[in-house]
Amino acid sequence: MSAAEVDAAQLHALAVDIAREAGELAKLRRSVGVALAATKSTLADIVTEADREVEDLIRARVAAERPGDGFLGEESGADAGGSGVTWVVDPIDGTVNYAYGIPSYSVSIAAVRGSAQPGAWEAQAAAVCAPALGELFSAVRGGGAWQDGRALHVTTETPAGALLATGFGYDPTTHDGDLQTVRTVMPIARDLRRGGSAALDLAYVAAGRLDGYFERGLNPWDFAAGALLVEEAGGRVSRLDTASRRPMLIAAGLEVHDRLVGILG
Ligand code: IPD
Ligand code: CA
């Protein structure tokens, strides 16, 4: 094993360990009720006390175990590190599900190399933990993707059309455009899901539970971990319109990916 592989394996082990602990904390806090802390970009864009507490836990563990690394978190922002590794973290992806008591929420943690900008980084390790579902998905660059020890593979055949998922941003003024996008994609779809956690949608593509996923306007922490899961499960991830305010993310097995890029590109 090369030094880079050893490092990626260590990052993976740490990402998994922290994601499990953070997931347990999120689940515990959910069991005693959710306190809304604030609204963010729009009224629909919420943050709970648990989002902040879970991110604090993840930050503290990274700082204790890898003090030279950078951090980019949804709730607490960016800190540059000196090691070349940055942790890109969504403490609770699917906060609205979480607030409503829907179990489809996840802790998403990626360790990336290079600049902490999507497109400029190379993800090394990823963990997406869905504590209320009892599932943990993880990947290491060049080493594969797994769910609790089982290797993951994207789908390759979609004879009845592709089971697709998408999401909508919090800004109501973007909904019409996103619904128009759905209309253009439906001819290749078997059906469409809207799960409410982008990180889990991507994990499901990696696990072959979805054939593909597309969404505009995601933040880096929404997809940093999930994108590595999909790639390591044999799929492809593309970002289109990267100069726009709302780039389009597409993730799927190769054939569905190329069809989606053909329609949405
Ligand atoms: C959101 C979820 C949702 C997606 C939104 C994201 P949050 O993240 O991933 O599925 O459609 O675009 O912002 O706010 O729950 O962390
Ligand atoms: Ca998110």
Side-chain angles (χ1 to χ4, degrees):
M1 241 193 229
S2 70
E5 284 168 336
V6 171
D7 199 30
Q10 285 168 350
L11 293 170
H12 174 255
L14 186 57
V16 167
D17 196 49
I18 297 177
R20 272 195 212 289
E21 186 181 345
E24 283 313 307
L25 177 60
K27 194 166 93 171
L28 179 70
R29 290 292 177 262
R30 174 61 246 185
S31 70
V32 294
V34 169
L36 195 63
T39 56
K40 299 195 284 186
S41 58
T42 67
L43 260 186
D45 187 4
I46 55 171
V47 54
T48 71
E49 297 289 354
D51 289 82
R52 291 177 176 169
E53 195 185 346
V54 173
E55 184 156 320
D56 287 349
L57 179 153
I58 298 169
R59 231 183 210 281
R61 283 219 47 199
V62 169
E65 299 189 42
R66 294 189 52 102
D69 290 357
F71 195 90
L72 172 62
E74 173 165 19
E75 312 305 343
S76 62
D79 274 334
S83 69
V85 172
T86 300
W87 294 78
V88 184
V89 169
D90 193 336
I92 299 180
D93 184 52
T95 303
V96 175
N97 282 351
Y98 186 76
Y100 273 74
I102 297 171
S104 297
Y105 63 86
S106 60
V107 175
S108 175
I109 300 179
V112 308
R113 272 196 188 285
S115 139
Q117 296 291 326
W121 73 45
E122 185 182 69
Q124 303 298 305
V128 173
C129 176
L133 303 172
E135 295 188 322
L136 188 134
F137 304 85
S138 72
V140 61
R141 173 158 299 277
W146 307 274
Q147 182 205 337
D148 302 310
R150 188 175 57 84
L152 300 181
H153 303 285
V154 297
T155 59
T156 51
E157 309 276 324
T158 55
L163 185 61
L164 300 174
T166 192
F168 306 104
Y170 291 117
D171 178 357
T173 65
T174 62
H175 290 165
D176 270 356
D178 287 346
L179 289 170
Q180 183 54 36
T181 299
V182 167
R183 191 185 298 276
T184 63
V185 162
M186 284 315 279
I188 69 159
R190 170 186 197 132
D191 205 340
L192 183 75
R193 301 287 180 263
R194 196 286 187 249
S197 163
L200 263 190
D201 288 334
L202 289 161
Y204 283 15
V205 171
R209 296 176 181 174
L210 291 168
D211 297 310
Y213 165 74
F214 60 95
E215 181 168 349
R216 274 197 186 280
L218 291 174
N219 286 302
W221 44 80
D222 297 318
F223 66 85
L228 184 64
L229 292 173
V230 171
E231 287 169 353
E232 288 298 326
R236 188 163 291 163
V237 179
S238 292
R239 288 178 81 232
L240 313 178
D241 306 331
T242 51
S244 81
R245 204 171 55 85
R246 302 183 71 228
M248 167 69 81
L249 186 101
I250 293 173
L254 303 193
E255 196 214 322
V256 172
H257 169 275
D258 290 354
R259 295 182 77 185
L260 286 171
V261 170
I263 293 168
L264 301 172

